[in-house]
Amino acid sequence: STQMFRRPLLQLTRSITTTSRLNMPIQVGETLPSVDLHEGTPKDKVNILDLFKDKTGVLFGVPGAFTPGCSKSHLPGYIEDFQKFKDKGVDIIVCVSVNDAFVMTAWGENTGAGGKVRMLADPTGEFVKAIDLAFDATPVLGNVRSKRYSMIIKDGIVQTVNVEPDSTGLCTSLSGELLKQL
């Protein structure tokens, strides 16, 4: 009879530990989670919280590398506005997508992001799930992906967060909109 009580308790514990902050997206004033992402290759890990330590930075997420909206508008805007962000005190601009490191590297090379926007891969979606900005894009992109968002981060703490209402649109998370908030 002891086993009957252990199993439900174990199930309850599992459901609590897998719930992300009561299913609320990351908010202003919260600290970025300490999650390792990939840059360049899967073995080259970058801790996102450590990356923004002692820095003012821009973090933006896209549903997928090489997808039309991401490649034609979202990423190019941040590349083009690189100097404007620098002039406003931004130390680092980071793009995150649920893709592998090789795809993110190729996309960065293809768009001219080098030296301007760091291209970080979140291959399993661990980071976007931790900040509750993941959505199920299985019918179109084959798996869970990142909602389209942008943030201003200071020393690892979220100062501004913009999430596209429909997860994929191109309005509130564009570089021009974020520049207005600095």
Side-chain angles (χ1 to χ4, degrees):
S1 83
T2 306
Q3 283 184 327
M4 287 182 4
F5 291 109
R6 285 186 185 165
R7 187 166 183 89
L9 181 58
L10 179 61
Q11 289 172 341
L12 177 62
T13 302
R14 285 182 189 161
S15 68
I16 290 172
T17 58
T18 60
T19 301
S20 172
R21 294 179 4 267
L22 302 175
N23 294 323
M24 291 182 59
I26 194 163
Q27 301 291 307
V28 170
E30 291 184 344
T31 302
L32 289 175
S34 181
V35 175
D36 287 339
L37 300 176
H38 301 173
E39 185 174 35
T41 71
K43 67 179 180 173
D44 297 316
K45 297 187 185 339
V46 175
N47 183 282
I48 193 76
L49 178 58
D50 292 345
L51 184 61
F52 283 94
K53 185 174 175 51
D54 299 323
K55 292 182 189 86
T56 296
V58 166
L59 173 63
F60 68 101
V62 298
F66 292 106
T67 57
C70 303
S71 293
K72 292 178 184 171
S73 300
H74 211 184
L75 176 57
Y78 284 94
I79 294 168
E80 291 166 15
D81 289 339
F82 171 76
Q83 191 57 51
K84 292 176 186 173
F85 280 108
K86 285 291 189 184
D87 293 346
K88 290 192 175 229
V90 170
D91 302 305
I92 187 168
I93 301 174
V94 176
C95 176
V96 174
S97 184
V98 179
N99 284 108
D100 64 72
F102 302 113
V103 168
M104 289 299 285
T105 298
W107 190 36
E109 290 169 356
N110 182 268
T111 57
K116 295 179 179 179
V117 177
R118 293 200 45 190
M119 307 297 286
L120 300 185
D122 184 13
T124 63
E126 180 183 0
F127 176 68
V128 295
K129 290 173 189 170
I131 61 173
D132 198 32
L133 289 175
F135 77 103
D136 185 3
T138 303
V140 178
L141 299 173
N143 60 354
V144 169
R145 295 296 180 113
S146 174
K147 292 180 179 181
R148 195 179 300 280
Y149 66 87
S150 64
M151 298 182 205
I152 298 169
I153 311 291
K154 287 188 181 178
D155 196 23
I157 299 171
V158 177
Q159 305 298 304
T160 302
V161 62
N162 306 298
V163 181
E164 294 295 344
D166 68 352
S167 302
T168 62
L170 289 160
C171 297
T172 64
S173 64
L174 294 175
S175 65
E177 293 301 311
L178 201 61
L179 274 168
K180 294 176 191 174
Q181 298 170 351
L182 280 167

